[in-house]
Amino acid sequence: MGENNYAKELDVAVRVVHMACSLCRRVQEGLVSSTSNDHVKSKDDDSLVTVADWSVQATVSLMLSESFSNQKVSIVAEEDVQTLSNSDSVGLLTAVVNTVNECLAEAPKYGLQSPKEALGTSQILEAISRCNSTGGRNGRHWVLDPVDGTLGFVRGDQYAVALALIEEGKVVIGVLGCPNYPRKKEWLNHHQSYQSIPKMSDTSDTWEKGCVLYAQRGSGEAWMQPLIHGNKKHNWSNSAQRVQVSAIDDPALATFCEPVEKANTNHSFTAGVAHSMGLKCVVFPLLFPTCLEFKLFFPLHG
């Protein structure tokens, strides 16, 4: 990933997001195939929270604390443990504990250290609770959105794991994990549903799904790595490829993107804009509802 002032932070963040994506894929596959909604709860603001939200937050908290044990790790994240601590959430809490321990056991596959033994309920609840920093313009803060696009996650569609590092009020590292995103251009037309995309073996070169993208402030570059599938050996040093804005300058050949959620955009208005500009290529969804959110987690320039 190159030598720079944030070499270790970027390396750890990318590996941790790979872990989180693997966790999310397992949870989503179980959620999509299950007829039960025991692992989905509603927060006070009526947004959905799944086992994945709490499990990713716990995993990221534990891995960052382990990797930077010589620092005071400040993490800003969404979830608290109030719902998990309720007496009627015993099954949900058990699922979170099991999911986190399964993920942590795979840490060596990602070049990270796993705990010597399975963690208990109190340790995992404490890890989730640690992510209660309020951030600020001073100091160093990690910012995590465990599952960005929970509605898409629940219905088996697109979502992202987003992790950023802010130092002295500036975003210096951004990492995005997109577990369901097709990296082959020919599969873009199948974006509508995770379930509609053909399932092929992990050894297939034809079907490649999922990626982790990352960037560092001031580099002017962004990079993408394929997700690790199954037990395939991952070549960390050679797996990344540079990503950049398309060189196409003919609007008729450009690809038009908009948020998939109707609440985040006016589809009829954007369709009119696309038509007036002569855009003809398929519309496919952005993973982020706002440009501001994308910029927060994906810095490029100083």
Side-chain angles (χ1 to χ4, degrees):
M1 296 178 187
E3 295 183 3
N4 52 65
N5 294 334
Y6 301 98
K8 180 178 179 180
E9 288 83 355
L10 182 59
D11 183 71
V12 169
V14 170
R15 294 172 190 268
V16 169
V17 171
H18 270 284
M19 285 182 65
C21 287
S22 177
L23 182 160
C24 286
R25 292 179 72 172
R26 285 199 298 269
V27 174
Q28 190 186 53
E29 287 171 2
L31 193 65
V32 169
S33 61
S34 174
T35 57
S36 170
N37 63 353
D38 291 344
H39 293 173
V40 180
K41 291 287 184 178
S42 178
K43 293 190 289 190
D44 291 339
D45 61 0
D46 293 327
S47 61
L48 293 171
V49 181
T50 70
V51 168
D53 290 275
W54 283 297
S55 298
V56 167
Q57 186 161 312
T59 298
V60 172
S61 173
L62 289 161
M63 288 291 95
L64 290 181
S65 296
E66 169 66 27
S67 299
F68 303 103
S69 56
N70 61 333
Q71 304 175 15
K72 181 180 179 181
V73 178
S74 168
I75 304 175
V76 181
E78 292 186 323
E79 313 306 339
D80 57 39
V81 298
Q82 182 175 353
T83 300
L84 281 178
S85 302
N86 292 339
S87 58
D88 64 344
S89 298
V90 175
L92 182 65
L93 179 56
T94 299
V96 169
V97 171
N98 292 339
T99 300
V100 172
N101 278 311
E102 288 175 5
C103 184
L104 294 177
E106 293 185 341
K109 184 170 75 173
Y110 302 91
L112 298 170
Q113 186 174 347
S114 61
K116 295 181 179 179
E117 57 186 24
L119 301 183
T121 300
S122 61
Q123 292 170 295
I124 290 175
L125 286 174
E126 196 274 332
I128 296 172
S129 298
R130 277 204 301 265
C131 304
N132 62 353
S133 172
T134 57
R137 293 184 177 276
N138 299 318
R140 171 179 287 197
H141 310 284
W142 292 93
V143 182
L144 171 69
D145 190 339
V147 178
D148 181 18
T150 309
L151 289 174
F153 180 90
V154 170
R155 65 170 177 254
D157 210 326
Q158 299 294 335
Y159 63 98
V161 177
L163 180 64
L165 176 61
I166 296 176
E167 190 159 59
E168 304 305 327
K170 293 184 178 181
V171 183
V172 294
I173 289 173
V175 185
L176 300 176
C178 308
N180 284 342
Y181 202 73
R183 293 190 295 109
K184 298 287 186 178
K185 184 177 180 180
E186 56 267 29
W187 291 111
L188 287 176
N189 287 337
H190 294 271
H191 71 80
Q192 289 87 350
S193 173
Y194 163 83
Q195 300 177 76
S196 71
I197 299 175
K199 305 294 189 300
M200 300 185 183
S201 67
D202 288 340
T203 59
S204 171
D205 292 330
T206 304
W207 171 235
E208 292 290 346
K209 181 180 65 175
C211 60
V212 172
L213 301 103
Y214 57 91
Q216 180 182 317
R217 175 177 290 274
S219 69
E221 297 177 339
W223 298 85
M224 178 182 72
Q225 287 181 342
L227 285 188
I228 298 176
H229 292 267
N231 293 317
K232 293 172 65 176
K233 187 176 181 180
H234 199 70
N235 190 331
W236 291 94
S237 60
N238 297 325
S239 64
Q241 65 183 76
R242 186 179 178 185
V243 291
Q244 58 191 23
V245 175
S246 170
I248 291 174
D249 56 11
D250 181 357
L253 301 178
T255 301
F256 183 61
C257 307
E258 65 179 355
V260 65
E261 300 294 346
K262 292 182 179 180
N264 295 325
T265 188
N266 184 328
H267 284 179
S268 60
F269 174 79
T270 54
V273 172
H275 177 75
S276 66
M277 294 178 64
L279 291 163
K280 297 180 180 179
C281 288
V282 62
V283 176
F284 68 97
L286 289 174
L287 292 172
F288 298 89
T290 67
C291 292
L292 177 61
E293 187 174 7
F294 182 83
K295 186 174 182 181
L296 170 63
F297 287 102
F298 215 59
L300 286 174
H301 304 287

